[in-house]
Amino acid sequence: MPATHDVTNQVPQLTGHDVADDPTLLAALSREGADWAADEVHELGALAGSEPVQEWGRLVNENPPVLRTHDRVGHRIDEVDFHTHWHDLMDVAVSRGLHAAPWQDSRPGAHVARAAKFYVWSQNEAGHTCPISMTYSAVPTLRHSPQLADVYEPLLAARRYDYGLRVPTGKRGLIAGMSMTEKQGGSDVRANTTTATPAGGGTYTLTGHKWFTSAPMSDVFLTLAQAPGGLSCFLLPRVLPDGSRNTIHLQRLKDKLGNKSNASAEIEYDGAVGWLVGEEGRGVRTIIEMVSNTRLDCVIGGAAGMRYGTVRAAHHARHRSTFGARLAEHPAMANVLADLAVESEAATLVAMRLAGASDRAAADDGEAAFRRLALAVTKYWVCKRAPAHAAEALECLGGNGYVEESGMPRLFRESPLSSIWEGSGNVAALDTLRAMAKQPDSVEALISELDAASGVDGRLDEAVAGVRKELADLSDVEYRARRLVERLALVLQGSLLVRHGDEAVADAFCASRLAGDWGAAFGTLPTGVDTNRILNRITPTE
């Protein structure tokens, strides 16, 4: 082989490590009452970091799903073919309880355990977690109709992944989807035009066109339609109890920026059969619980993506040499990596705090109120930060990061999804204002959380005082919505970090995000930050 073909100064592939080797995650798992799940989280983390499973993630994105509307003789079949490893990924997620296990698990910390698993497993491949998230989120909505919940909840929570067209009650495991968006608009669901006509026997027939339905091969769907009593929520199975196909037709699959492994479709209800969930005219109120839980997964997914990017950027910088030293040894790169790590740890900490609130909300009004406001605030900020974080992490790999084989382009394309899904930036910010106006106890609960850190760090105290001042004057508040929500998100993260985070990370966060000694780009941490200590926290055990 000619000397020009020698390979030097290239970075080994990051495989064979435990994705759950994450001190922020593991500390939160214990603190939020789910340390009983630590072994399961590590087992899943080792699987996610293994070379074969990483290959699954690559293949399902390079071989996206294919729509088949008709069979060879012209019968309408409306099916989607997935790469075989899509089903492998789904099988692992379901068998480990990432889909709906907490709803059938009475142990304290069940939602926290599930959140930790979702966090580590989605770092391998994020696309398939969409139907996993929707299944998790569908259960509390179905409970608005106890008879439906009695039938479907055990099937949705079953730890068996079954794929194919079968009568739902004849399957041991179900996956749920959600279909709200229509052509005329996504956020303003009250403008939906799909109709639902009572058909007797407790059923309705639905007619209309949905513009965006992720995971169209799910077994059951929750959807919104205009019933005689107003906008209402309905459950539609893909296969009816008599074994016939419901008239849910797939028009086309969306060609998306990212999330390539997951099918998203335009669908048509052609007199499709559905069952009312909740009451007529209260569809938004009924389905909002599903939206709330998928928003939690948006936060967890955003935090997971940040962790993935940070670890790979640090791995590259520790093995690549420039100008006589490892990249990570250069002060400018150390600043960038530490800044990425600070953002990642703050996101992980608040995601797990929200998962803990999900566990306690049913029995604790204060936790329920905290979750209502803090989730809207955090969904806005963490998901908004994810694309900038992914771009900087990719850049740490230079040209190698721009190449598909690095995995970073896939992360970058995936990163805007959580900010768009379940309410883009303005929707999340305005939802925060709505919570403040309609549920003032949620403001009190969030302030109480901030006060728990009072006196620990002067920079945090000053930032909280500034937020209190902004909350006292809500003139032009809609115009200032993003600024206010950003400040709320930052002081919440700061409060959690100074109480529960690493000292060096908390100091860097307060000095940059709260004290204002920070630039517009990552890598502008002020002097005096202990970057070595921060970077030592993101070294995976290989």
Side-chain angles (χ1 to χ4, degrees), residues 217-293:
M217 300 307 285
S218 298
D219 300 292
V220 294
F221 300 91
L222 288 173
T223 193
L224 294 177
Q226 299 288 354
L231 189 65
S232 307
C233 180
F234 295 90
L235 174 74
L236 277 70
R238 198 154 56 91
V239 180
L240 296 172
D242 64 5
S244 63
R245 295 171 184 257
N246 210 347
T247 49
I248 303 172
H249 300 314
L250 308 187
Q251 303 301 313
R252 62 171 175 167
L253 298 186
K254 298 290 192 180
D255 186 6
K256 299 170 292 185
L257 168 68
N259 202 243
K260 293 289 189 178
S261 67
N262 177 42
S264 297
E266 290 178 37
I267 66 172
E268 181 182 10
Y269 298 139
D270 183 15
V273 178
W275 282 261
L276 180 67
V277 181
E279 302 175 27
E280 273 197 17
R282 297 175 68 85
V284 173
R285 183 181 293 273
T286 300
I287 209 169
I288 199 66
E289 289 189 60
M290 186 173 189
V291 173
S292 175
N293 284 292

Side-chain angles (χ1 to χ4, degrees), residues 306-321:
M306 289 186 194
R307 175 67 181 180
Y308 177 97
T310 301
V311 168
R312 272 150 185 77
H315 175 75
H316 180 88
R318 286 195 177 94
H319 289 86
R320 183 84 159 180
S321 295

Side-chain angles (χ1 to χ4, degrees), residues 27-34 108-109 112 352-357 359-360:
L29 191 69
S30 176
R31 184 173 58 253
E32 298 291 346
V112 172
M352 295 301 288
R353 172 67 181 90
L354 288 167
D359 268 311
R360 296 182 287 271

Side-chain angles (χ1 to χ4, degrees), residues 77-394:
I77 57 175
D78 295 297
E79 293 184 359
V80 178
D81 289 336
F82 292 88
H83 191 279
T84 183
H85 287 317
W86 166 271
H87 302 300
D88 291 330
L89 290 163
M90 289 289 293
D91 183 60
V92 171
V94 170
S95 66
R96 294 333 192 261
L98 276 66
H99 60 317
W103 305 114
Q104 299 281 304
D105 191 341
S106 60
R107 287 176 291 181
H111 288 277
V112 172
R114 181 258 172 193
K117 294 177 185 179
F118 190 93
Y119 173 89
V120 300
W121 186 241
S122 64
Q123 288 181 52
N124 173 65
E125 203 290 308
H128 80 287
T129 62
C130 177
I132 294 298
S133 177
M134 289 190 294
T135 305
Y136 167 68
S137 305
V139 172
T141 293
L142 278 176
R143 289 178 176 176
H144 285 270
S145 291
Q147 289 183 324
L148 288 175
D150 287 345
V151 173
Y152 286 100
E153 183 173 330
L155 299 170
L156 290 168
R159 294 198 181 198
R160 170 167 171 167
Y161 171 64
D162 286 318
Y163 183 79
L165 284 166
R166 286 187 288 277
V167 178
T169 53
K171 297 182 69 174
R172 290 180 58 187
L174 299 182
I175 296 297
M178 176 170 57
S179 188
M180 294 196 295
T181 303
E182 296 190 0
K183 285 178 286 191
Q184 67 275 7
S187 300
D188 186 8
V189 294
R190 295 188 185 278
N192 283 5
T193 60
T194 296
T195 60
T197 304
T203 65
Y204 290 69
T205 55
L206 278 70
T207 303
H209 185 189
K210 295 294 182 177
W211 187 243
F212 220 107
T213 298
S214 280
M217 300 307 285
S218 298
D219 300 292
V220 294
F221 300 91
L222 288 173
T223 193
L224 294 177
Q226 299 288 354
L231 189 65
S232 307
C233 180
F234 295 90
L235 174 74
L236 277 70
R238 198 154 56 91
V239 180
L240 296 172
D242 64 5
S244 63
R245 295 171 184 257
N246 210 347
T247 49
I248 303 172
H249 300 314
L250 308 187
Q251 303 301 313
R252 62 171 175 167
L253 298 186
K254 298 290 192 180
D255 186 6
K256 299 170 292 185
L257 168 68
N259 202 243
K260 293 289 189 178
S261 67
N262 177 42
S264 297
E266 290 178 37
I267 66 172
E268 181 182 10
Y269 298 139
D270 183 15
V273 178
W275 282 261
L276 180 67
V277 181
E279 302 175 27
E280 273 197 17
R282 297 175 68 85
V284 173
R285 183 181 293 273
T286 300
I287 209 169
I288 199 66
E289 289 189 60
M290 186 173 189
V291 173
S292 175
N293 284 292
T294 49
R295 283 179 175 173
L296 174 61
D297 280 357
C298 287
V299 174
I300 298 169
M306 289 186 194
R307 175 67 181 180
Y308 177 97
T310 301
V311 168
R312 272 150 185 77
H315 175 75
H316 180 88
R318 286 195 177 94
H319 289 86
R320 183 84 159 180
S321 295
T322 60
F323 306 106
R326 300 286 186 184
L327 264 177
E329 295 170 354
H330 292 289
M333 180 56 80
N335 195 322
V336 171
L337 294 173
D339 212 355
L340 291 172
V342 168
E343 193 78 24
S344 171
E345 292 205 26
T348 301
L349 200 56
V350 73
M352 295 301 288
R353 172 67 181 90
L354 288 167
S358 297
D359 268 311
R360 296 182 287 271
D364 187 327
D365 290 343
E367 285 290 273
F370 167 78
R371 186 184 185 278
R372 172 66 182 95
L373 184 58
L375 180 56
V377 165
T378 303
K379 198 279 183 186
Y380 170 83
W381 184 241
V382 169
C383 298
K384 185 65 68 179
R385 294 294 291 161
H389 190 282
E392 194 68 59
L394 181 155

Side-chain angles (χ1 to χ4, degrees), residues 425-486:
N426 282 349
V427 173
L430 294 174
D431 188 46
T432 300
L433 302 186
R434 187 178 302 109
M436 291 167 55
K438 293 188 174 183
Q439 296 175 260
D441 58 331
S442 67
V443 180
E444 296 173 8
L446 182 57
I447 293 297
S448 178
E449 183 80 13
L450 302 179
D451 286 346
S454 179
V456 179
D457 189 293
R459 296 161 298 188
L460 174 61
D461 291 342
E462 186 174 347
V464 171
V467 166
R468 286 179 180 273
K469 185 177 180 180
E470 290 201 47
L471 290 173
D473 178 13
L474 296 180
S475 58
D476 299 322
V477 68
E478 184 171 329
Y479 181 81
R480 296 187 292 109
R482 286 192 176 211
R483 171 185 166 80
L484 175 60
V485 174
E486 176 180 323

